[in-house]
Each structure stands twice: as C-alpha cells, then as structure tokens.
C-alpha cells in the first residue's frame, strides 16, 4: 500500500502530539522519523512509530524533555536528553555541535539520557547546509555478539558522515557496524523470508538464516562476517565508547532495549541511551569553495571508474537520494503488517491514517 509523504507526516505528527509532545517537537520528531522512509530505510521509519508509543506508555519516554548542556568547553559538550525522544534530542544536540563549530571551527557533543534517534544520516546531514562535515553515531539495544562471543554485548551502533560537495550531490555515508541492521530482520519477518547467511548467529553461535533467530536467543553478527567480524566489532565498540562511556549513558549490555516488553537493566551504569555528534566547518581547514570543487572531482573520479559488466560505481548516498526523489513523487510504500500496526496506534488516539 502506498501513501503520500504528507499523509504519513500528518498522521505521525498527530500521534506525537497525542502523546504530549509540544508542537515544535512533534514536527521535528516526524521529520526525523520519515526521513528514513524517504531514503528507503524502511526499518527505521514510520514502521517504528508504534515502538515509540509503547515506550511512552511504559513511562520510558518523556514527551516534554528539557534538553540541556551539563558540561562544556568551547568545542565540546555533554547533553542530557532528559529521557526525551531521540528523534528530538538528536537534532537538538547536533545543532549544539554546529553552533560550536561556527564559533571555533569544530564542535563535538556526546549525549546521555536519550532514546532511539532514527537514522544516523538525518542528523549528520543537518551540517551540510552550513558547509560543514557532519558526524553522527549512536549506541543501541544489545543484540550483537562480539567476535567469538555467545553473549549480546553491543548494538548495531551506526556511523554516519555527511560531506558537502559543489556541483555533485553530497557524500552521505550511513551504515550500521553489523552486517545488517535489526530492522532488516524485522522486514524479513513481516515478509516471512529467510535472511542471508552472515547476518546473524543462533544461541550456540552457529550461522543462521532464520529471521527470528535473534528473537530466539541468537545475535546479530558484526560487519565483516566469518573472516572479518573483528573489524565490525571494533567499529561498534568505538561508537559505544564515544556515545556512552564519554557522556555517562548506558553502554554495552546495559543499553536499554527499544522494545517496551523488555525491561531496562535493574543495575544501570548510566542514563538512557547515548549518541555522539560532530560538526566540522570546512573553511576551518581550507576555503569551502576550493574543498567542494575537489570533492566534485573526487566524486566524479569514483563515479566514472570502470565497473564490472552490468554495474556502476556508486557514491555513498546515491541510492538513498534516488529513492527520496522517487518516493516524494510516487509515495511511500508500506507493508500490510505496518499499515495495520499504524491503524491500531491511530485508533488509540483517534487519529486516522
């Protein structure tokens, strides 16, 4: 089933208003959430709306947070999200990093006491309009087994980096540090499909193609698969440390789960979930126009590289950019299971899809 962007925007915004979000926060949360659907990251978009509502119902999301700085220097800050929606806390913290970059060249912000913040790329891309390089990371529910582990100690812990260009489209890398994000398993579950080998392991550490294997005690595998998972493990660990050990959020196995039916740790080591944001003013390194001209050259060189038959070399951000243009015109497709879930959520608040 296909819905227009505006139809889904109005619906989601009304739901966020219904749980008590102030109007500006409801609009910001909706924009952040639907950026995932627009860019084709369906696992992190409106399909997650009911999950946020359930967390609010469980008292684990504060709809009216007072997001504030608890510690800062001219170029750094720790932000307390006050238990708010990560969809709101994230953009506000990123803008703090950008303000610091305006003043001193770079800004770095680590966040505690937040929740799931949608796609990392949205936050990193906020910097592009000001000729800044944006960086965004977050830790997440512990669903990932480090190399050789049977225990789930890390999240999918994504990294996003957005770099402005001139005539060419901007460079936007947005990737999980696992072979696949958990949302892709959720999509496979809804479609009753197996998952590729290398995405997950069962409770005994054996490779599994069952989309329900993580639900049944297994774990996601770090990026790199059978021979290189130590690299994904290392990247995920860095995200966890920057996002949480640095800020005072929960890290490792103590990160609170996104699903409301699982309770947070009874002995937390920090506050909520953690994020990390960076903004670098390009002209703090070299003239922005000069840099962007060379970025155009870089992008063109890679895009025009000789490719294997039937393929072409893409730049990070190309598929998502094409998807956004297509979906703004033709609408956003939702699986039947997602539509039913949204209708159930809407019925709670008298909001019609």
């Amino acid at each position: 089933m296909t819905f227009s962007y505006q139809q889904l925007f109005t619906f989601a915004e009304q739901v966020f208003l219904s749980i008590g979000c102030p109007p500006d926060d409801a609009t910001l949360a909706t924009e952040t959430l639907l950026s995932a659907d627009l860019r084709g990251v369906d696992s992190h978009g409106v399909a997650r709306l009911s999950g946020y509502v359930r967390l609010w119902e469980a008292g684990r999301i504060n709809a009216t947070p007072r997001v504030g700085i608890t510690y800062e220097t001219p170029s750094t800050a720790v932000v307390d999200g006050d238990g708010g929606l990560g969809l709101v806390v994230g953009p506000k913290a990123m803008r703090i990093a950008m303000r610091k970059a305006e003043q001193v060249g770079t800004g770095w912000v680590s966040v505690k006491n937040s929740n799931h913040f949608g796609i990392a790329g949205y936050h990193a891309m906020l910097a592009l309009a000001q000729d800044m390089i944006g960086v965004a990371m977050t830790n997440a529910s512990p669903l990932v087994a480090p190399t050789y582990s049977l225990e789930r100690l890390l999240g999918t812990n994504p990294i996003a980096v957005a770099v402005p260009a001139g005539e060419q489209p901007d460079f936007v890398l947005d990737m999980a540090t696992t072979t696949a994000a958990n949302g892709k398993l959720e999509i496979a579950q809804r479609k009753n499909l197996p998952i590729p080998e290398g995405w997950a392991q069962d409770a005994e550490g054996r490779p599994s193609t069952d989309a329900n294997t993580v639900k049944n005690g297994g774990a996601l595998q770090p990026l790199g698969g059978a021979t290189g998972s130590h690299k994904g493990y290392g990247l995920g660990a860095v995200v966890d440390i920057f996002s949480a050990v640095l800020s005072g959020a929960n890290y490792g196995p103590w990160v609170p789960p996104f699903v409301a039916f699982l309770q947070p740790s009874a002995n937390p080591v920090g506050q909520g979930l953690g994020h990390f944001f960076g903004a670098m003013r390009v002209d703090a390194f070299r003239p922005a126009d000069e840099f962007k001209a060379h970025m155009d050259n870089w992008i063109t060189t890679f895009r025009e590289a000789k490719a294997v038959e039937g393929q072409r070399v893409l730049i990070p951000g190309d598929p998502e950019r094409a998807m956004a243009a297509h979906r703004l015109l033709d609408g956003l497709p939702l699986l039947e299971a997602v539509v039913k879930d949204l209708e159930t959520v809407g019925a709670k608040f008298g909001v019609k899809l």
Side-chain angles (χ1 to χ4, degrees):
M1 301 177 67
T2 303
F3 299 81
S4 72
Y5 175 80
Q6 189 56 53
Q7 184 179 0
L8 289 179
F9 194 101
T10 300
F11 175 80
E13 186 177 41
Q14 287 299 313
V15 170
F16 285 127
L17 287 168
S18 296
I19 68 173
C21 292
D24 286 349
D25 283 3
T27 301
L28 179 57
T30 304
E31 181 180 306
T32 309
L33 184 69
L34 288 186
S35 69
D37 293 290
L38 270 184
R39 295 177 68 78
V41 191
D42 298 338
S43 57
H44 284 57
V46 74
R48 286 275 174 100
L49 182 60
S50 64
Y52 293 109
V53 171
R54 285 191 289 269
L55 286 175
W56 170 77
E57 290 173 330
R60 288 173 50 192
I61 281 183
N62 176 9
T64 56
R66 299 181 64 180
V67 180
I69 296 172
T70 61
Y71 182 86
E72 67 178 326
T73 72
S75 63
T76 66
V78 172
V79 167
D80 187 331
D82 195 26
L85 282 162
L87 302 169
V88 172
V89 176
K92 290 185 176 182
M94 182 63 188
R95 294 199 183 281
I96 291 171
M98 291 164 61
R99 287 199 297 270
K100 289 186 173 292
E102 285 176 1
Q103 296 164 2
V104 297
T106 67
W108 304 96
V109 174
S110 195
V111 181
K112 64 180 178 179
N113 205 8
S114 186
N115 284 281
H116 191 281
F117 76 177
I119 59 168
Y122 173 83
H123 309 285
M125 290 171 66
L126 291 175
L128 294 173
Q130 295 188 36
D131 279 351
M132 294 182 186
I133 295 171
V135 178
M137 309 177 192
T138 184
N139 66 4
S141 308
L143 299 173
V144 182
T147 306
Y148 303 133
S149 175
L150 294 178
E151 294 186 58
R152 306 194 304 203
L153 298 176
L154 288 171
T156 53
N157 294 11
I159 299 171
V161 179
V163 184
E167 298 298 323
Q168 292 294 323
D170 302 317
F171 174 106
V172 182
L173 172 73
D174 186 357
M175 53 171 265
T177 53
T178 48
T179 306
N182 187 53
K184 294 190 181 297
L185 272 71
E186 293 171 350
I187 291 172
Q189 291 160 17
R190 295 185 194 113
K191 294 182 176 180
N192 197 28
L193 295 173
I195 57 173
E197 189 168 314
W199 282 20
Q201 65 186 46
D202 65 19
E204 283 73 45
R206 297 172 301 212
S208 174
T209 59
D210 180 2
N212 294 291
T213 193
V214 176
K215 285 185 175 179
N216 297 329
L220 293 173
Q221 294 181 313
L223 181 66
T227 59
S229 67
H230 58 288
K231 296 181 179 180
Y233 165 33
L235 289 171
V238 167
V239 173
D240 202 33
I241 293 166
F242 281 23
S243 299
V245 180
L246 201 56
S247 68
N250 288 291
Y251 48 82
W254 291 278
V255 175
F258 177 73
V259 291
F261 61 82
L262 293 177
Q263 292 299 311
S265 171
N267 301 294
V269 293
Q271 293 178 281
L273 191 130
H275 318 308
F276 184 79
F277 302 102
M280 294 179 279
R281 217 175 64 216
V282 168
D283 67 3
F285 296 86
R286 68 188 298 188
D289 289 345
E290 182 181 293
F291 170 83
K292 290 196 290 184
H294 280 280
M295 274 304 300
D296 284 349
N297 186 47
W298 189 96
I299 289 168
T300 301
T301 300
F302 279 73
R303 202 188 297 283
E304 294 178 352
K306 186 181 293 186
V308 298
E309 187 176 351
Q311 300 293 334
R312 60 192 179 93
V313 177
L314 299 176
I315 303 303
D318 280 351
E320 294 87 352
R321 191 179 303 107
M323 183 66 75
H326 169 71
R327 288 187 169 184
L328 277 173
L329 286 176
D330 297 337
L332 286 71
L334 299 180
L335 295 173
E336 184 180 356
V338 173
V339 174
K340 289 181 177 178
D341 190 40
L342 293 177
E343 289 173 342
T344 300
V345 170
K348 291 182 180 181
F349 305 109
V351 179
K352 201 165 185 180
L353 181 61

